[in-house]
Amino acid sequence: MISEHETVLRLLVAALLGSLVGMERERLLWGAGIRTHMLVSVGACLTMIVSAYGFQNSILQPHTVLDPARMAAQVVSGIGFLGAGSILLRGNSVRGMTTAASI
């Protein structure tokens, strides 16, 4: 089991790294700045922590079939959905590809 201190440390590191990417993008006046990247990073980190450690007691119960990896697999789909929402088509130009890739 992971300690509370390590959980908080992991979330803080995710927030720091996400905000660094967002700070660079905000400095260049591009979409999806500090808040967006920090929230996506912390949300993905928290979901992975819950997926990895949140169901340990349930798995030990007899006659329990549980696959915690399913939750982690949905993180990729959810972040892909956020990235796809940032791509815009205006006339013949497509905008937001770099923003989608950074998310």
Side-chain angles (χ1 to χ4, degrees):
M1 192 65 164
I2 188 172
S3 70
E4 291 178 15
H5 296 292
E6 190 172 348
T7 302
V8 171
L9 179 65
R10 288 181 184 195
L11 291 171
L12 288 174
V13 169
L16 175 71
L17 295 176
S19 64
L20 286 176
V21 173
M23 194 178 342
E24 174 67 17
R25 294 187 52 79
E26 222 170 80
R27 184 181 68 84
L28 297 172
L29 300 175
W30 290 343
I34 292 174
R35 288 182 296 172
T36 303
H37 282 83
M38 187 172 13
L39 287 173
V40 169
S41 296
V42 170
C45 180
L46 183 61
T47 305
M48 297 307 285
I49 289 170
V50 169
S51 177
Y53 304 107
F55 303 106
Q56 286 184 343
N57 293 335
S58 299
I59 293 173
L60 300 176
Q61 300 296 323
H63 308 293
T64 301
V65 178
L66 186 66
D67 183 14
R70 284 183 173 183
M71 189 172 176
Q74 299 311 309
V75 170
V76 177
S77 300
I79 293 176
F81 182 78
L82 288 174
S86 67
I87 299 172
L88 301 172
L89 174 65
R90 291 190 181 157
N92 290 335
S93 96
V94 177
R95 300 189 43 91
M97 293 296 286
T98 306
T99 301
S102 70
I103 291 175

